[in-house]
Amino acid sequence: MSDANEPRKVNLADAIREKLAQKNQQSGASQQGGFQGGSAKTLKSQNTKKPNNQRRRTGGS
């Protein structure tokens, strides 16, 4: 009848698995190319971090 026109009901877990599989395929294909440009964060030297002065401000124990 009109079964072909109606969208079939998909279990939520199955839909999530399919999306995850698609995502893994896409990321796997792009990672083989090497370094990804925009996604990597620049590393920050820990020497440039501001020290935490809370102990000095509050009198510390």
Side-chain angles (χ1 to χ4, degrees):
M1 297 208 190
S2 63
D3 291 338
N5 293 340
E6 293 180 17
R8 73 174 230 260
K9 293 183 180 179
V10 179
N11 188 3
L12 183 61
D14 292 337
I16 292 174
R17 282 190 202 105
E18 287 177 20
K19 281 286 187 185
L20 190 61
Q22 286 176 358
K23 190 174 180 182
N24 286 341
Q25 286 175 355
Q26 287 177 353
S27 66
S30 63
Q31 285 180 357
Q32 287 180 2
F35 179 74
Q36 280 186 329
S39 66
K41 281 207 252 180
T42 56
L43 296 176
K44 191 183 238 186
S45 171
Q46 295 206 349
N47 294 334
T48 62
K49 281 173 133 182
K50 285 176 81 172
N52 185 356
N53 292 328
Q54 182 178 8
R55 212 172 211 182
R56 186 168 54 95
R57 282 185 280 128
T58 58
S61 52

